[in-house]
């Protein structure tokens, strides 16, 4: 899924120009193909891992011959070939996306320093709350690992369990760029090693549930009239759009506006009375 990239010149509560939003949309569009290619790669990566786990389970079952497993081997080979194809597609999409983004930044003269009008919010009255916007991904995976007699060169049960967890989280859209999966896998490795050192373990059932949620910060507050006018004048400096922020001028405009509204209201009543008189005369 394509995302709007972070921009150091954007601050919550500040005014964002339409030009800046248009630029971010162009960057997001440029990264879209790369994100879709990554999703396909992750899907085949997870499928390959699951099929290999299923093959291992079947090979450990009684009365299962090599001939029975041959079709499964063929399917795993096909999935792995497609995985290689998707990895190449991801590499090409990444190069193109980053080239396009670099060109956009060069054309727009992207900078980490920006100038914008002061926020029109009265910051002493502002409240910021984080609320969930949507659920991005939800993936569930389960695998049973039977403890086997460990030969030289074989991975330990703890390493096998941690490798499964890291692959499952990476294939499920680990939004932390792999850091989250590595941290969870490391904890699982230590826990599994402790259990095997203290007990005789026949097997380990691993359940992985990976959910990512999109959060948004909502700002709730009141506008400061003077700051709102100043912000307007900075964004629209032309004389035709300029709004005078002088206190005396603002009071005069408010008084004229109020008097005009009263005059319209009185005129409306007179017309209504005249209408009644005409009706009575009739």
């Amino acid at each position: 899924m394509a995302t709007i990239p972070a921009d150091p010149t954007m601050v919550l509560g500040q005014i964002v120009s339409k030009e800046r939003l248009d630029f971010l949309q162009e960057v997001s569009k440029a990264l879209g193909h790369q994100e879709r290619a990554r999703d396909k790669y992750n899907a085949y990566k997870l499928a390959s891992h699951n099929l290999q786990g299923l093959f291992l389970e079947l090979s450990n079952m009684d009365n299962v011959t090599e001939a029975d497993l041959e079709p499964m081997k063929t399917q795993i080979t096909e999935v792995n070939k497609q995985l290689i194809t998707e990895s190449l597609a991801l590499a090409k999409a990444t190069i193109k996306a980053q080239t396009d983004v670099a060109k956009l930044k060069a054309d727009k003269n992207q900078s980490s320093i920006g100038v914008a009008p002061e926020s029109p919010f009265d910051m002493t009255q502002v409240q910021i709350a984080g609320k969930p916007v949507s659920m991005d991904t939800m993936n569930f995976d389960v695998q049973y690992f039977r403890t086997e007699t460990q030969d030289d060169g074989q991975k330990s049960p703890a390493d096998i369990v941690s490798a499964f967890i890291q692959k499952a989280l990476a294939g499920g859209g680990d939004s932390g760029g792999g850091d989250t999966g590595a941290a969870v896998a490391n904890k699982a490795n230590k826990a599994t090693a402790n259990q095997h050192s203290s007990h005789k373990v026949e097997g380990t059932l691993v359940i992985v549930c990976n959910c990512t949620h999109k959060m948004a910060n909502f700002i709730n507050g009141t506008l400061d009239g003077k700051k709102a006018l100043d912000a307007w004048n900075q964004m629209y400096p032309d004389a035709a759009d300029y709004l005078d922020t002088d206190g005396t001028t603002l009071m005069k405009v408010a008084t004229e506006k109020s008097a005009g509204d009263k005059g319209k209201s009185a005129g409306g009543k007179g017309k209504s009375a005249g209408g009644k008189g005409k009706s009575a005369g009739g």
Side-chain angles (χ1 to χ4, degrees), residues 124-153:
T124 61
Q125 305 294 326
V126 162
Q127 293 181 343
I128 299 175
K131 296 183 180 180
V133 178
S134 65
M135 183 177 65
D136 193 13
T137 59
M138 176 179 287
N139 292 276
F140 183 86
D141 202 355
V142 60
Q143 188 80 43
Y144 176 76
F145 298 96
R146 189 173 68 178
T147 303
E148 303 282 349
T149 302
Q150 186 174 351
D151 298 328
D152 292 339

Side-chain angles (χ1 to χ4, degrees), residues 263-279:
K264 290 180 180 179
S265 177
K269 288 182 179 179
K271 187 174 182 180
S272 177
K276 288 183 178 179
K278 186 176 181 180
S279 176

Side-chain angles (χ1 to χ4, degrees), residues 32-157:
H33 185 61
Q34 175 188 347
E35 295 297 326
R36 289 189 293 272
R38 187 185 303 279
D39 288 342
K40 291 182 67 176
Y41 169 77
N42 285 336
Y44 278 101
K45 182 179 178 181
L46 183 59
S48 174
H49 176 69
N50 289 338
L51 287 177
Q52 290 175 14
L54 180 59
F55 178 83
L56 182 61
E57 288 182 8
L58 292 175
S59 62
N60 289 329
M61 293 176 62
D62 296 333
N63 301 323
V64 176
T65 65
E66 286 293 331
D68 296 331
L69 295 174
E70 200 60 37
M72 177 64 74
K73 288 182 180 180
T74 303
Q75 295 302 316
I76 292 176
T77 301
E78 291 299 320
V79 170
N80 288 339
K81 287 181 180 179
Q82 189 62 39
L83 178 60
I84 294 174
T85 300
E86 296 303 334
S87 66
L88 294 175
L90 174 58
K92 292 179 180 179
T94 300
I95 293 173
K96 185 179 186 306
Q98 296 306 318
T99 302
D100 292 344
V101 170
K103 185 177 184 302
L104 284 171
K105 289 182 177 181
D107 293 342
K108 297 293 183 179
N109 194 22
Q110 172 75 344
S111 173
S112 59
I113 299 176
V115 178
E118 184 183 3
S119 172
F121 281 105
D122 182 357
M123 288 304 179
T124 61
Q125 305 294 326
V126 162
Q127 293 181 343
I128 299 175
K131 296 183 180 180
V133 178
S134 65
M135 183 177 65
D136 193 13
T137 59
M138 176 179 287
N139 292 276
F140 183 86
D141 202 355
V142 60
Q143 188 80 43
Y144 176 76
F145 298 96
R146 189 173 68 178
T147 303
E148 303 282 349
T149 302
Q150 186 174 351
D151 298 328
D152 292 339
Q154 281 188 327
K155 289 185 178 181
S156 66

Side-chain angles (χ1 to χ4, degrees), residues 201-230:
V201 180
E202 293 186 0
T204 305
L205 179 65
V206 182
I207 301 174
V208 179
C209 185
N210 180 34
C211 303
T212 59
H213 298 267
K214 289 187 176 180
M215 300 290 293
N217 287 329
F218 288 83
I219 186 168
N220 183 22
T222 57
L223 294 178
D224 183 294
K226 177 71 164 52
K227 291 168 66 176
L229 289 175
D230 288 337

